[in-house]
Amino acid sequence: MTLPDAGLTDHQRIAAASMWQTLEPETIEAMLSAGEDVRLGAGRYLFRSGDAYRKCIYIHLEGTLEQTSASGDVRTAEPGDVIGLASYLDGDNYRSTAHAVSDCRLLALPGATVQRLEQESGPFFEAINRALASRMRKARQVRETVRGTLARPVRQFMSSGLPTCGNADTVGDAARMLADREIGSLGLVDEAGRLTGMLTPTRLLMALINGEASPTDSVHAIEADNAFSVTPETPLWQVEEIQRRHRVRDVIVVDHDNVPVGLMSETGLIQALAKPPYTLDSELKTAPDVETLVTLRRKIHVAAAAVHAAHRSAGTAVRALTEMHLALQHRLVELVIASMVQDGHGRPPARFAVMVMGSGGRGEMLLRPDQDNGLIIDDRVDDAGLDWFREFSERLNPALDQVGYRLCPGDVMARNPDYRRTLGDWKDKLTNLVENPGRREARLANIMLDFTTLYGDDSLTSRLRAHLNQQLVDDRGKMLFRMMVSDDAKIAQPLSFFNRLVTTSHRGSQVIDIKRTGLRIIVDAMRVFALKESISRCKTLERLASLRRLGVFDPDFAESMRIAFEELQDLLLTHQLDQIERGETPDPLLRMERLSSHDRERLRVSLRATRRMRERLQYTFGVVMN
């Protein structure tokens, strides 16, 4: 068999392929050294659909090769294209057919080599991840919506962390940042980090066309667009008014020194105002007693099932679930305070905030959450006031247990003095956590550091969050982050070396704990990355979006994690709703015999994506994973 000489080396063919364009020359040489030359005569098949995976990928080098998908689509491979990548990602049989139209030459790269290069080369890792993201996009498209109200402060909805450019950046740098991160605007800042204007793709393009600046000029050579800004406490309705009156899409959120801390986009506003269908909010807010709340608590799953059925979106259903859980707990706090007054203890003697932590703090409560809460008390409280809050907490936690929220096994509850503190004592606790993290404290940090206000003075919670962010700047949280990541390293994922599902036995079924081995890995990873970047939002997908905007994750990696998170969330919620229909107590253990082949594939691909998140954690924090 002879092949025409196209005048290019194999190195050049690979380097020119769109998938591999960012690779370092030494990585391409490593691929060529480890690979085996494969020659395929015209009319021969490289593999057929259903053939066993050969534990390698093929890189097309020369000749005409056609690949036919399971749906019948035919694609002609270009030099440098990867053949059989889906089977490498999934460890499963080939699902397409590869056929040589003319004599072909390919490079067979062992799967073990691919895995090694993923660990050693960041560009190689990202190239493989782009392929995974593309696969997941085709499998599922989801629409995100967020509940909200115009009266609430913008900090509850903004995207944390605004990408900015300054004196050291050129027009070309700004253009690349906008393109690479797929964002619509950049903040322009002075030497002190203060906001001076905004740059958009349109503004950069017009400056180049008009000869106002060249790609190598400083961004300050361009007359930037006006930047409309608000503070984090600005109500959402004012942001809407600014966007409508000035016809702008993005409003920048700045602190008291005019330093950008976030962004409220037009899309974000639309999402914030979107409402799910009927829930129990009105009944929960007006419940006259604890017994009524007990009854309503038993109806929450019915309302959640209605939302899920209407939208077929786990994200919408989980948000509705969380809103109902928090509305119930908020009303219970009011009833406990009323009981304190009725029993002669009087009203709260000082400003305070009841915090909800863990899944409640992230807005990701499902059907059977337990209690994770704490109490922040104003520093000016006296001893008698502290006694009032002790009594209040001793009543609150048992009342929550009575209505269906189990007592926290780790005792992360307001009745525990360690989680009932003045603001100053809370600040000291978090400072000590950052400076002297122990293994137990690091484990609890994965619950405690996702906190938000359930009831009371939200400014206390906001000040505590600001203090935490301040303690973590300049890489001072490095040891805490390593210990938080190490805690997750003990979790063995239910995937074999070749990405087949690995189950355990439980009461006659083969099961997978989807919460511990799937969702938790993404949630915990987003928490560590977000804390490292001083992102104040707690919801997992909002953290992910902020990290993408800041350039921590590229768009493909972020997209694959978003889809994986929502797929796992949907599988878990559907499973728990089915358990309730069967009269079972909801748990996170997926029964394999109850999953369709489609759902098993969703589970496997999503767990494959979470494995990549663990690998990313390992690269970033230097912790060896299971």
Side-chain angles (χ1 to χ4, degrees):
M1 177 175 63
T2 60
L3 290 165
D5 181 8
L8 295 176
T9 66
D10 291 343
H11 186 119
Q12 290 170 328
R13 291 186 179 96
I14 295 174
S18 59
M19 179 170 176
W20 306 116
Q21 283 179 347
T22 60
L23 290 194
E24 312 95 331
E26 55 268 26
T27 302
I28 297 178
E29 287 303 319
M31 294 165 62
L32 292 169
S33 298
E36 177 186 352
D37 191 74
V38 174
R39 293 179 179 257
L40 196 66
R44 299 288 301 275
Y45 286 86
L46 180 63
F47 53 75
R48 297 174 186 266
S49 178
D51 286 354
Y53 169 53
R54 296 172 189 160
K55 302 180 182 179
C56 68
I57 64 173
Y58 297 95
I59 300 176
H60 181 49
L61 297 175
E62 293 183 76
T64 302
L65 185 79
E66 288 186 347
Q67 193 166 11
T68 305
S69 69
S71 62
D73 294 332
V74 179
R75 183 180 70 88
T76 301
E78 299 290 336
D81 282 358
V82 178
I83 313 298
L85 182 60
S87 291
Y88 165 75
L89 292 170
D90 297 340
D92 206 353
N93 294 342
Y94 295 109
R95 298 183 182 180
S96 62
T97 297
H99 168 251
V101 178
S102 68
D103 291 348
C104 294
R105 189 166 65 88
L106 304 100
L107 181 73
L109 192 61
T113 300
V114 178
Q115 290 183 326
R116 176 176 61 81
L117 291 175
E118 283 195 78
Q119 296 175 0
E120 295 175 353
S121 167
F124 191 95
F125 175 90
E126 297 301 343
I128 297 295
N129 193 72
R130 282 194 295 273
L132 175 63
S134 176
R135 174 175 169 79
M136 296 186 74
R137 283 194 202 99
K138 292 177 182 177
R140 183 169 184 257
Q141 295 292 329
V142 293
R143 180 175 62 87
E144 296 179 53
T145 57
V146 181
R147 295 193 67 200
T149 171
L150 287 170
R152 292 162 71 178
V154 69
R155 63 177 168 76
Q156 296 184 7
F157 304 99
M158 70 180 188
S159 297
S160 297
L162 176 74
T164 60
C165 51
N167 291 332
D169 297 300
T170 66
V171 173
D173 292 334
R176 281 188 290 272
M177 194 181 302
L178 287 166
D180 291 346
R181 302 186 188 182
E182 297 182 359
I183 53 180
S185 59
L186 285 172
L188 189 62
V189 297
D190 60 18
E191 293 180 354
R194 295 184 294 266
L195 182 68
T196 60
M198 178 182 287
L199 293 177
T200 63
T202 301
R203 187 71 194 87
L204 287 176
L205 179 61
M206 293 307 298
L208 292 171
I209 292 174
N210 296 334
E212 181 182 336
S214 71
T216 57
D217 288 339
S218 167
V219 289
H220 286 282
I222 295 178
E223 183 179 348
D225 294 325
N226 289 332
F228 294 92
S229 61
V230 296
T231 67
E233 302 306 319
T234 302
L236 208 57
W237 67 264
Q238 290 188 17
V239 175
E240 182 190 41
E241 185 173 305
I242 290 171
Q243 291 176 339
R244 183 178 64 251
R245 180 187 302 171
H246 299 285
R247 298 183 180 180
V248 295
R249 296 178 59 86
D250 296 333
V251 175
I252 297 177
V253 185
V254 297
D255 64 14
H256 63 280
D257 291 324
N258 203 39
V259 174
V261 295
L263 181 79
M264 193 70 221
S265 67
E266 185 178 54
T267 301
L269 180 66
I270 292 171
Q271 292 176 336
L273 297 176
K275 299 231 179 231
Y278 168 74
T279 61
L280 301 172
D281 286 358
S282 58
E283 294 96 321
L284 290 167
K285 291 176 181 177
T286 58
D289 49 45
V290 174
E291 289 71 24
T292 302
L293 289 179
V294 171
T295 301
L296 291 172
R297 173 69 178 85
R298 294 171 182 155
K299 295 181 180 180
I300 283 181
H301 77 275
V302 178
V307 176
H308 192 226
H311 285 262
R312 295 310 304 167
S313 165
T316 302
V318 170
R319 282 187 288 273
L321 257 173
T322 300
E323 290 290 338
M324 288 185 283
H325 284 306
L326 297 183
L328 189 155
Q329 295 185 16
H330 186 281
R331 180 56 181 157
L332 185 64
V333 173
E334 293 178 334
L335 293 175
V336 170
I337 291 175
S339 73
M340 295 277 289
V341 173
Q342 185 176 356
D343 293 344
H345 295 282
R347 300 287 303 171
R351 293 188 307 144
F352 73 102
V354 178
M355 294 189 298
V356 60
M357 306 175 188
S359 62
R362 294 191 304 274
E364 296 163 5
M365 303 173 84
L366 291 180
L367 293 171
R368 197 167 177 253
D370 54 15
Q371 293 187 48
D372 296 305
N373 50 55
L375 194 63
I376 309 176
I377 308 167
D378 187 85
D379 288 325
R380 291 168 292 186
V381 68
D382 57 20
D383 289 343
L386 291 175
D387 287 340
W388 189 97
F389 286 111
R390 178 188 55 77
E391 175 65 22
F392 166 76
S393 300
E394 291 290 348
R395 296 188 183 203
L396 176 63
N397 292 131
L400 285 167
D401 184 53
Q402 180 183 347
V403 299
Y405 299 99
R406 298 165 296 168
L407 297 173
C408 175
D411 205 23
V412 182
M413 295 181 291
R415 72 178 186 183
N416 180 348
D418 201 30
Y419 297 96
R420 184 181 70 249
R421 296 167 172 260
T422 63
L423 178 60
D425 285 345
W426 266 110
K427 290 180 177 180
D428 291 342
K429 178 179 176 66
L430 295 189
T431 298
N432 186 63
L433 174 66
V434 173
E435 295 178 351
N436 305 290
R439 294 196 177 278
R440 179 177 180 276
E441 288 75 16
R443 185 175 301 113
L444 290 173
N446 279 321
I447 300 173
M448 186 176 65
L449 298 186
D450 291 344
F451 60 84
T452 191
T453 305
L454 171 68
Y455 182 97
D457 192 335
D458 187 52
S459 69
L460 295 172
T461 311
S462 179
R463 289 163 64 187
L464 184 60
R465 175 66 65 182
H467 175 79
L468 174 61
N469 288 341
Q470 185 61 39
Q471 296 305 302
L472 294 174
V473 298
D474 299 328
D475 216 23
R476 281 184 277 174
K478 183 176 181 179
M479 183 57 67
L480 174 62
F481 298 149
R482 282 181 59 85
M483 298 191 75
M484 292 171 71
V485 173
S486 295
D487 188 46
D488 269 0
K490 302 171 185 175
I491 301 173
Q493 278 197 284
L495 287 175
S496 70
F497 184 78
F498 291 111
N499 300 304
R500 296 186 183 278
L501 295 175
V502 177
T503 62
T504 56
S505 297
H506 176 77
R507 297 180 180 178
S509 294
Q510 294 299 307
V511 303
I512 288 177
D513 188 336
I514 188 175
K515 181 177 180 181
R516 184 171 187 270
T517 64
L519 282 167
R520 174 179 166 179
I521 291 172
I522 299 177
V523 167
D524 288 359
M526 290 304 105
R527 178 186 304 110
V528 175
F529 278 114
L531 290 171
K532 185 175 184 292
E533 299 296 330
S534 297
I535 293 171
S536 297
R537 305 308 300 275
C538 289
K539 295 180 180 178
T540 299
L541 291 181
E542 292 177 358
R543 283 170 164 166
L544 179 59
S546 294
L547 290 163
R548 170 180 166 173
R549 288 187 61 83
L550 291 176
V552 177
F553 300 143
D554 67 45
D556 290 305
F557 186 85
E559 181 73 354
S560 64
M561 289 307 113
R562 181 184 73 82
I563 295 174
F565 180 77
E566 291 230 354
E567 290 280 57
L568 293 171
Q569 216 176 36
D570 185 69
L571 286 166
L572 178 55
L573 179 60
T574 302
H575 162 68
Q576 292 191 341
L577 289 171
D578 177 65
Q579 284 186 297
I580 291 176
E581 288 294 318
R582 295 169 181 263
E584 300 171 355
T585 301
D587 63 36
L589 306 178
L590 292 188
R591 276 70 167 171
M592 292 299 102
E593 71 271 13
R594 298 181 185 177
L595 291 182
S596 67
S597 59
H598 173 66
D599 285 342
R600 290 192 187 197
E601 177 64 10
R602 292 168 63 202
L603 174 62
R604 187 161 59 86
V605 174
S606 298
L607 289 174
R608 176 72 173 89
T610 65
R611 172 177 285 178
R612 299 191 72 77
M613 176 53 73
R614 296 189 72 173
E615 293 166 353
R616 184 64 175 264
L617 276 174
Q618 180 180 12
Y619 303 154
T620 304
F621 296 97
V623 176
V624 177
M625 298 294 170
N626 251 349

